[in-house]
Amino acid sequence: MFEYNPKYIRNFSIIAHIDHGKSTLADRLLEATQTVQKRDMQEQLLDDMDLERERGITIKAHPVTMVYKAKDGHLYQINFIDTPGHVDFSYEVSRSLAACEGAVLIVDASQGVQAQTLANVFLAIDHNLEILPVLNKVDLPQADPDEVKRQIEEVIGLDVSQTVICSAKTGKGVDQVLETLLTLVPPPQINEDGYLRALVFDSHFDPYRGVMVYVRVISGSLKKGTQIVMMATKKKFELLEVGIFSPQEKPTDELRAGEVGYIVGSIKNSKDVKIGDTITLSKKTVPEPLKGFKEVNPVVYAGIYPIDTTDFEGLRDALEKLQLNDSAIYVEQESSQALGFGFRCGFLGLLHLEIVSERILREYDIDIIITAPSVVYRLTLKDGSIRDLDNPVHYPDPTLIEDIQEPWVECRIMTPSDYMGAIMGLANEKRGDLIKTESINEFRLFLTYKFPLNEVITDFNDKLKSATKGYASFDYEFSDYQKSDIVKLEIRVNEEPVDAFSSLVHRTKAEARGRVVCAKLKEVIPKQLFKVPIQAAIGGKIVARETISALSKNVTAKCYGGDISRKRKLWEKQKKGKKRMKEFGKVSIPQSAFMEVLKS
């Protein structure tokens, strides 16, 4: 049993690119410290969501407390925080790293340094963490540890003298990882000024106990009955339970300075808990909160509608429940003439949107339709006011707009040098600016680009993988807002605008986008008894048009022989009827047509 002594506590996190063996090494560490018995062991133990297992990615941070008897004879308490690797969750990763003193950097010995490896390492360096490089998958025949060590030294600039070579799959070198960690990572620094400071680095909703908050205690201690206050939301709670993860929740008497665990305090609303917030005593509030807290704002917006209108209430419940576990989702009810009632939702990125939609389908069995994702544009109006716009429906009259700014991101791409030409072609198509090119070795390049965010969130990743046969990896982070020529592309069917197909696009892309949508609609809208024009318009200017021809009836079929004027009379009568029908006729667009166009 571990006797509390800050000198023998170590807090660390694992950072790695997707599929470099982070979850597998975590499994081996749990086995080596006997935190989990062999009979209870399963692959990716800390990834408890089906989606995490299938895709091989970590979506939620999972802390775990391990007790390990080192070779020096002392018992150590090792707190390990498993973090997501994807760029969409970089704020969560930064908060998890703020709760640690060290980080294990895993690099695949057969693939070398990748884009996300770099992004997460820079986050760890910003937090002044001790970084232990670990070369994983050395059991593979194509592994080249010496070359990868050179890359870590040259590309990242880390000292590789303490590098541990291991294979998480076979268990080789895992003990060495633990021993090196204990010597390299310093114990937590304890502030003895009598104030309670605890960092919130994650939370999840438990249907029976409310919000369970994951904390790292910086100074002071937390125990059952303590009256606490959340500094960002000013909400006060009484603690009903404190404990550690081992890896399941395990209640303890007290969480002391330097320790990582959870607290439960009848917190009913997940909005009362903000990631990165500081917890302190309600009677003795700390003068200033811990650094680094910020509100997480959605980056990508999309409309989510039920395919069957009777599922609307079910969809509302599903989104409310998902919001309890993931406070980063923004939800607002909206309605569309074409799609009926639905919700406008904000996400941290495209992967976040994909995961939420997949969970709605699996966990709540609701078929949904998602409108094309859009980003937040910043409008400066003629009267000097500034507005954020995420929905084309709310686009104001163009004569009132002074200028429009769109978000840009800095994008890091790692690629074999053979594909440089293909990537430059893709970057030109996506309005990218090349900032710099660096060589990692004679076969690989590290490119830094700037892209408009709306070009990256649609199909950039798919096209990059296609252009480089799956070898390139990329990662991006928000850079700034820049002035841009953004216009509203409106799609009209039989002179009536259809909101669901409207979008905000760059003027140079508007015509091509309009042609694609018009051509697709011509395929999927059924023929009427009159001609139906489908137009793409920017303001009053039509930039693309298709016409669905009318279903025609041969009115002169009964005429045989006789004078031509008899046929002409029937044609004139038919023409007048068609004209009247076009004036009063309505074109109803079937649901399947929306599905087809939004897929394209």
Side-chain angles (χ1 to χ4, degrees):
M1 187 69 190
F2 176 75
E3 285 288 325
Y4 175 73
N5 183 345
K7 211 166 88 174
Y8 300 120
I9 294 176
R10 299 290 183 273
N11 299 315
F12 80 98
S13 185
I14 295 184
I15 49 181
H17 187 76
I18 289 172
D19 204 29
H20 277 208
K22 183 162 59 127
S23 297
T24 313
L25 182 63
D27 291 348
R28 294 296 85 76
L29 292 176
L30 290 172
E31 278 180 3
T33 55
Q34 295 176 352
T35 307
V36 178
Q37 297 304 316
K38 272 260 178 32
R39 64 174 181 273
D40 300 325
M41 201 63 208
Q42 57 172 342
E43 277 188 35
Q44 282 178 262
L45 184 83
L46 296 179
D47 295 344
D48 50 13
M49 240 188 267
D50 289 344
L51 263 175
E52 290 182 309
R53 291 171 178 285
E54 279 171 32
R55 291 176 174 231
I57 58 173
T58 302
I59 296 166
K60 287 293 281 177
H62 294 269
V64 62
T65 299
M66 306 177 281
V67 176
Y68 174 67
K69 188 163 188 180
K71 287 177 181 169
D72 62 9
H74 290 291
L75 266 186
Y76 285 85
Q77 185 193 79
I78 303 174
N79 296 308
F80 158 50
I81 301 170
D82 188 15
T83 58
H86 199 273
V87 58
D88 286 5
F89 309 112
S90 62
Y91 175 65
E92 281 183 36
V93 175
S94 89
R95 293 303 80 213
S96 298
L97 293 176
C100 303
E101 280 78 38
V104 171
L105 166 67
I106 299 182
V107 184
D108 185 329
S110 62
Q111 291 183 44
V113 174
Q114 301 279 307
Q116 272 167 346
T117 315
L118 274 176
N120 290 336
V121 167
F122 293 149
L123 271 178
I125 292 169
D126 288 345
H127 286 91
N128 294 323
L129 301 190
E130 285 293 338
I131 299 171
L132 169 64
V134 171
L135 300 191
N136 191 21
K137 305 192 183 183
V138 290
D139 55 315
L140 295 179
Q142 66 270 38
D144 186 353
D146 294 334
E147 167 58 22
V148 176
K149 268 190 194 177
R150 192 190 66 76
Q151 284 179 27
I152 292 172
E153 204 161 43
E154 289 186 9
V155 180
I156 305 172
L158 286 181
D159 174 23
V160 291
S161 59
Q162 302 242 34
T163 303
V164 179
I165 291 174
C166 81
S167 164
K169 192 175 179 183
T170 61
K172 174 190 169 187
V174 173
D175 287 343
Q176 199 189 337
V177 172
L178 278 166
E179 290 292 336
T180 315
L181 255 179
L182 299 180
T183 54
L184 186 70
V185 176
Q189 294 286 316
I190 308 298
N191 188 341
E192 303 285 2
D193 61 2
Y195 284 106
L196 165 67
R197 294 179 188 83
L199 172 74
V200 176
F201 64 87
D202 207 350
S203 67
H204 84 260
F205 188 79
D206 184 304
Y208 303 107
R209 295 186 288 176
V211 181
M212 184 175 280
V213 185
Y214 300 8
V215 294
R216 151 74 198 271
V217 185
I218 308 293
S219 64
S221 69
L222 288 163
K223 56 178 82 166
K224 190 176 172 180
T226 306
Q227 297 279 346
I228 60 157
V229 63
M230 303 276 182
M231 292 191 77
T233 58
K234 304 285 184 281
K235 294 285 171 85
K236 295 183 179 180
F237 302 100
E238 182 183 339
L239 296 189
L240 304 176
E241 186 185 308
V242 302
I244 58 169
F245 294 94
S246 144
Q248 267 62 47
E249 294 106 43
K250 181 178 165 189
T252 56
D253 298 332
E254 192 176 7
L255 278 180
R256 285 161 290 209
E259 295 189 312
V260 174
Y262 69 89
I263 58 170
V264 176
S266 64
I267 307 168
K268 299 287 187 290
N269 191 344
S270 66
K271 287 193 171 60
D272 293 340
V273 179
K274 304 276 188 192
I275 308 297
D277 197 359
T278 305
I279 291 175
T280 187
L281 294 173
S282 58
K283 286 180 183 168
K284 191 181 178 185
T285 309
V286 70
E288 54 183 44
L290 299 163
K291 290 191 180 87
F293 171 71
K294 67 175 185 189
E295 288 278 352
V296 182
N297 294 317
V299 173
V300 174
Y301 285 82
I304 296 183
Y305 294 84
I307 287 179
D308 184 348
T309 48
T310 56
D311 284 336
F312 175 73
E313 289 299 329
L315 179 58
R316 175 188 279 156
D317 290 348
L319 285 168
E320 278 175 6
K321 283 174 183 162
L322 286 171
Q323 254 187 315
L324 291 172
N325 275 327
D326 188 349
S327 55
I329 305 171
Y330 165 81
V331 178
E332 177 185 63
Q333 191 175 323
E334 72 169 4
S335 65
S336 152
Q337 289 176 335
L339 300 169
F341 287 105
F343 298 91
R344 187 83 185 159
C345 300
F347 304 93
L348 298 174
L350 217 56
L351 178 77
H352 193 204
L353 182 152
E354 227 176 284
I355 286 163
V356 170
S357 55
E358 188 84 18
R359 287 183 70 184
I360 291 170
L361 192 66
R362 288 181 185 204
E363 295 172 26
Y364 303 97
D365 199 23
I366 298 170
D367 287 323
I368 54 172
I369 178 172
I370 300 171
T371 62
S374 69
V375 298
V376 183
Y377 295 97
R378 192 163 286 166
L379 273 60
T380 306
L381 304 180
K382 291 267 169 74
D383 62 5
S385 61
I386 293 173
R387 268 174 60 184
D388 282 350
L389 181 74
D390 62 72
N391 193 340
V393 174
H394 302 141
Y395 187 78
D397 183 340
T399 56
L400 303 174
I401 299 171
E402 184 66 45
D403 66 51
I404 300 180
Q405 293 181 315
E406 65 175 335
W408 281 65
V409 291
E410 190 169 294
C411 188
R412 293 177 281 266
I413 301 173
M414 291 208 147
T415 175
S417 41
D418 302 355
Y419 302 112
M420 179 74 180
I423 289 174
M424 290 186 86
L426 175 62
N428 284 341
E429 182 196 322
K430 297 288 186 185
R431 299 191 285 132
D433 294 334
L434 180 62
I435 296 170
K436 61 179 176 182
T437 308
E438 297 167 76
S439 293
I440 295 171
N441 56 26
E442 64 265 41
F443 307 115
R444 292 176 75 211
L445 293 172
F446 176 44
L447 312 173
T448 308
Y449 267 98
K450 275 189 88 171
F451 284 103
L453 180 58
N454 69 348
E455 298 286 356
V456 173
I457 62 165
T458 44
D459 56 357
F460 182 79
N461 194 28
D462 297 346
K463 287 193 170 179
L464 179 70
K465 293 289 182 195
S466 302
T468 61
K469 298 183 181 168
Y471 284 111
S473 63
F474 96 109
D475 177 82
Y476 64 87
E477 64 184 3
F478 177 75
S479 173
D480 55 7
Y481 272 88
Q482 290 183 19
K483 197 170 168 181
S484 192
D485 191 6
I486 300 293
V487 292
K488 180 182 179 181
L489 181 70
E490 193 174 65
I491 304 294
R492 301 173 187 166
V493 176
N494 198 27
E495 313 289 339
E496 296 271 331
V498 184
D499 285 347
F501 300 135
S502 297
S503 56
L504 296 171
V505 289
H506 194 267
R507 194 179 292 275
T508 56
K509 301 281 182 87
E511 189 176 325
R513 174 81 176 265
R515 286 181 190 280
V516 169
V517 176
C518 289
K520 194 74 189 169
L521 281 172
K522 186 183 177 184
E523 281 175 33
V524 294
I525 293 178
K527 285 188 174 186
Q528 311 292 317
L529 289 166
F530 51 91
K531 277 186 185 176
V532 178
I534 300 167
Q535 299 160 315
I538 300 170
K541 185 185 175 189
I542 306 297
V543 292
R545 174 181 167 131
E546 295 283 349
T547 307
I548 300 173
S549 54
L551 282 168
S552 56
K553 180 185 176 187
N554 187 359
V555 287
T556 58
K558 60 182 185 232
C559 302
Y560 50 93
D563 189 25
I564 186 69
S565 59
R566 195 169 159 218
K567 288 186 177 180
R568 202 166 279 146
K569 195 169 142 191
L570 288 168
W571 284 330
E572 283 299 323
K573 195 176 170 186
Q574 184 186 33
K575 197 172 168 184
K576 278 181 191 165
K578 295 246 182 200
K579 190 179 175 186
R580 196 164 62 248
M581 198 186 291
K582 187 169 184 185
E583 281 171 16
F584 300 109
K586 284 268 185 238
V587 180
S588 60
I589 306 172
Q591 190 78 33
S592 58
F594 286 100
M595 300 294 287
E596 288 297 322
V597 174
L598 292 171
K599 273 180 198 164
S600 73

